[in-house]
Amino acid sequence: MENLDVMVLRTLRDWRLAGRRALLTTVVRTWGSSPRPIGSIMALAEDGAVVGSVSGGCIEDDLIARYSRAHGPSGEMPSGPPALVKYGITADEAHRFGLPCGGTLELLLEYDPDAASLAALVEQLEQGRLMQRSVSLADGAVRLAEASAPAELVVNDRELVNTFGPEYRMLLIGAGQLAEYLSTMAKFSGFAVTLCDPRAEYRTAWSTPGVAISTEMPDDAVLAFKPDRRSCVVALTHDPKLDDLALLEALQTEAFYVGAIGSRRNAQARRERMMEHFDQTEASLARLRGPIGIYIGSKTPPEIAVSVMAEILAVKNNVTLPRETEVAVAKAAAAG
């Protein structure tokens, strides 16, 4: 699965370019518990087709019934400026719409968003740009501007400003079973995945669709990939000739995660090798992760992939992870 926001905007663009009426729904405020965070988007076509989500499903059902012909002629999509609507204001409504206890959310509904503006936004996102989309609440007029940094959604009496980032990206060094599991998990987590392996014999069995393939040497692939703050680089070959130079190149970028598979002993040997032969220091290698993955006692490729993907997502989401030794101590203490 691709990045959800990009998928919603791309689908909505296609609907509007084809002349289909549609609305764009954005979560703009929440009170108490909420099933989806502020900034989440969903698109609804006039025939009831939906992409994206603003709740666990019940609010989507209500929007479909109100603004589409999916369940008969009663639903009607209005025209005009954007509208703000609230769900879950009373306990009965929260229960009816499947919201958590005490949860309330407010949505902005944009009727028939401009197709040309959507096309321009999607084009910029596909080119790897971070974009700010401002919507006038008075008339629905949209302004697009390139953003310098990610930002939370802002809404006031005049406008809504939402920042959309390009897809998160993952560069995998080394084909194989682990890479196939990890790339599959990355794709359904919203990452665009590129696999690099110059070894033809390892690529012949590759079967994961939707993954870009690079046959360059890994350090050249890192340079071509141009990792940014929404990128991660993961080395899986166990071959220093392939992994080390790629990791060194990746450490010079803004990639939010750079790591390599291997045991604790191999990870330490890699660090010593890099300091001895490539003039690295403890400080320059501080961002290098290894062994990678959250400790779950995994031994098989799919479990190792779960472990690695969990750590990547935790780092992406700014979650502080305990060290493996701390986990072991905690387990021992609990058992004692």
Side-chain angles (χ1 to χ4, degrees):
M1 185 184 76
E2 60 192 319
N3 176 277
L4 183 57
D5 286 347
V6 177
M7 180 175 66
V8 171
L9 294 168
R10 187 181 289 124
T11 303
L12 179 60
R13 173 205 61 187
D14 294 343
W15 289 344
R16 297 293 296 129
L17 287 174
R20 296 168 68 181
R21 299 202 64 200
L23 64 81
L24 176 63
T25 304
T26 305
V27 179
V28 298
R29 294 186 181 94
T30 64
W31 295 266
S33 301
S34 173
R36 296 284 287 143
I38 291 173
S40 299
I41 59 173
M42 181 201 87
L44 168 65
E46 59 186 340
D47 59 4
V50 171
V51 61
S53 174
V54 293
S55 79
C58 294
I59 289 178
E60 285 82 352
D61 289 344
D62 187 69
L63 292 171
I64 292 168
R66 288 173 182 264
Y67 301 113
S68 78
R69 302 187 305 273
H71 303 302
S74 59
E76 181 180 355
M77 190 172 295
S79 300
L84 290 166
V85 297
K86 286 184 180 179
Y87 282 91
I89 296 173
T90 67
D92 286 344
E93 285 178 317
H95 178 73
R96 179 160 63 96
F97 293 118
L99 293 172
C101 181
T104 300
L105 57 82
E106 186 172 25
L107 308 176
L108 180 75
L109 307 183
E110 298 176 56
Y111 307 111
D112 296 330
D114 177 64
S117 176
L118 288 167
L121 174 59
V122 171
E123 180 181 8
Q124 295 300 309
L125 294 175
E126 289 177 339
Q127 292 178 6
R129 294 187 175 93
L130 189 68
M131 297 298 295
Q132 186 181 81
R133 181 176 185 267
S134 302
V135 183
S136 168
L137 301 190
D139 57 10
V142 172
R143 290 183 294 107
L144 300 177
E146 188 169 354
S148 58
E152 300 295 326
L153 178 144
V154 175
V155 64
N156 53 40
D157 294 337
R158 303 183 310 280
E159 66 176 0
L160 173 145
V161 180
N162 203 1
T163 301
F164 294 100
E167 293 175 309
Y168 276 89
R169 298 183 299 144
M170 174 182 289
L171 175 61
L172 295 175
I173 309 299
Q177 196 174 29
L178 176 57
E180 290 198 13
Y181 285 118
L182 186 55
S183 63
T184 300
M185 294 177 190
K187 283 180 61 61
F188 68 63
S189 297
F191 286 72
V193 182
T194 298
L195 170 79
C196 168
D197 201 323
R199 305 167 300 179
E201 63 274 20
Y202 281 84
R203 298 194 309 270
T204 54
W206 183 262
S207 61
T208 306
V211 174
I213 305 295
S214 168
T215 61
E216 298 177 286
M217 289 301 293
D219 52 329
D220 292 330
V222 172
L223 290 172
F225 189 73
K226 298 179 181 178
D228 55 22
R229 286 175 293 177
R230 298 169 75 88
S231 305
C232 59
V233 178
V234 188
L236 303 174
T237 73
H238 294 280
D239 185 343
K241 297 189 301 295
L242 298 176
D243 288 348
D244 286 8
L245 292 179
L247 294 169
L248 289 171
E249 289 291 351
L251 288 171
Q252 297 181 55
T253 72
E254 293 185 313
F256 74 86
Y257 183 100
V258 178
I261 200 73
S263 66
R264 217 170 10 248
R265 179 184 298 174
N266 288 339
Q268 182 59 35
R270 180 184 301 112
R271 289 177 174 273
E272 294 172 357
R273 189 167 59 244
M274 288 180 170
M275 288 188 283
E276 179 180 355
H277 298 292
F278 297 101
D279 298 324
Q280 297 298 302
T281 65
E282 289 290 350
S284 68
L285 297 176
R287 294 174 52 229
L288 178 59
R289 293 180 174 269
I292 55 175
I294 294 175
Y295 180 71
I296 56 174
S298 51
K299 300 294 184 182
T300 64
E303 288 189 1
I304 294 171
V306 169
S307 167
V308 173
M309 194 69 226
E311 183 180 58
I312 291 171
L313 292 175
V315 175
K316 166 185 170 287
N317 296 331
N318 297 314
V319 175
T320 301
L321 293 170
R323 297 178 184 272
E324 181 179 338
T325 53
E326 293 172 349
V327 173
V329 170
K331 289 174 63 178

